[in-house]
Amino acid sequence: KAGVTQTPRYLIKTRGQQVTLSCSPISGHRSVSWYQQTPGQGLQFLFEYFSETQRNKGNFPGRFSGRQFSNSRSEMNVSTLELGDSALYLCASSGTSGGENIQYFGAGTRLSVL
Amino acid sequence: QQQVKQSPQSLIVQKGGISIINCAYENTAFDYFPWYQQFPGKGPALLIAIRPDVSEKKEGRFTISFNKSAKQFSLHIMDSQPGDSATYFCAASNQAAGNKLTFGGGTRVLVKP
């Protein structure tokens, strides 16, 4: 079974630009969550999508948005990039095992904002 | 507001020794407590998880101890190996509310041969 696939793996953008990151979940998983990982703030939850609907949202500005398609693939968009948006963006898809919802993470997209 | 506090930030242990990482949480609605292991360049991978109705769970060399009254839980890595050198994150979630994980700050473990 293929794991969570995130593309691209690396991105370099300049301030003010916008960026779109993509995530393909494990086959059969309907929930996709996004996290931002930085050395200073650690792993922070951005949002979760389940069956094309946003189910949870973290404390990030409206510049961060996402969506999920009918095949459960998800995209995350960041508009008007700031230097502080440089981070590793992780996607996780969730499946049930032993009565628990387990999150499986992709390798991430490393975004550098110059 | 950091709802899950993790300590220590880093840890050096000799091969064969025991690594102990501690976490404390504030939100009593949390009902699922996983530990993740992350290697450089990789995403976090689930190591072991526990629910608050269990005080201890063991899987191979990894053991979680859970103290509900103190709102604390810990990871013990027995017989630590150089391949265990990684960053470990504790996390917590309220599974009835979805899959939002609140992570601790992480512990970088180095196992010396």
Side-chain angles (χ1 to χ4, degrees), chain B residues 31-44:
Chain B
D31 61 2
Y32 177 66
F33 302 87
W35 285 88
Y36 281 84
Q37 178 189 55
Q38 186 177 28
F39 293 104
K42 304 284 188 181

Side-chain angles (χ1 to χ4, degrees), chain A residues 31-35 45-50 52-60 64-66 94 101 103, chain B residues 93-102:
Chain A
S31 167
V32 173
S33 299
W34 289 88
Y35 295 82
F45 173 81
L46 281 154
F47 29 67
E48 178 198 5
Y49 285 87
F50 181 84
E52 302 180 64
T53 301
Q54 187 179 86
R55 183 159 70 172
N56 280 298
K57 190 177 187 306
N59 297 323
F60 280 81
F64 292 81
S65 64
S94 298
N101 288 332
Q103 293 197 44
Chain B
S93 72
N94 175 0
Q95 294 220 308
N99 292 308
K100 174 184 176 181
L101 285 170
T102 300

Side-chain angles (χ1 to χ4, degrees), chain B residues 13-106:
Chain B
V13 63
Q14 291 294 129
K15 178 182 174 182
I18 302 173
S19 303
I20 301 174
I21 306 170
N22 300 299
C23 284
Y25 64 97
E26 300 169 7
N27 188 345
T28 55
F30 289 150
D31 61 2
Y32 177 66
F33 302 87
W35 285 88
Y36 281 84
Q37 178 189 55
Q38 186 177 28
F39 293 104
K42 304 284 188 181
L46 179 67
L47 202 56
I48 187 173
I50 198 168
R51 287 197 172 273
D53 54 346
V54 176
S55 61
E56 186 174 280
K57 183 176 181 180
K58 183 177 179 179
E59 287 184 5
R61 297 183 294 108
F62 301 93
T63 299
I64 300 178
S65 297
F66 190 87
N67 186 329
K68 187 176 180 178
S69 61
K71 292 188 285 186
Q72 294 176 348
F73 57 111
S74 61
L75 175 70
H76 290 60
I77 306 174
M78 315 298 285
D79 187 26
S80 296
Q81 301 296 312
D84 297 333
S85 297
T87 300
Y88 294 81
F89 294 93
C90 63
S93 72
N94 175 0
Q95 294 220 308
N99 292 308
K100 174 184 176 181
L101 285 170
T102 300
F103 282 91

Side-chain angles (χ1 to χ4, degrees), chain A residues 11-68:
Chain A
L11 266 177
I12 299 176
K13 292 286 186 179
T14 56
R15 276 185 306 171
Q17 287 187 311
Q18 68 96 25
V19 66
T20 299
L21 313 181
S22 180
C23 173
S24 293
I26 293 171
S27 177
H29 288 187
R30 293 161 61 191
S31 167
V32 173
S33 299
W34 289 88
Y35 295 82
Q36 181 195 65
Q37 185 173 24
T38 60
Q41 298 299 317
L43 277 154
Q44 292 187 289
F45 173 81
L46 281 154
F47 29 67
E48 178 198 5
Y49 285 87
F50 181 84
S51 295
E52 302 180 64
T53 301
Q54 187 179 86
R55 183 159 70 172
N56 280 298
K57 190 177 187 306
N59 297 323
F60 280 81
R63 299 185 297 107
F64 292 81
S65 64
R67 59 177 176 169
Q68 187 180 32

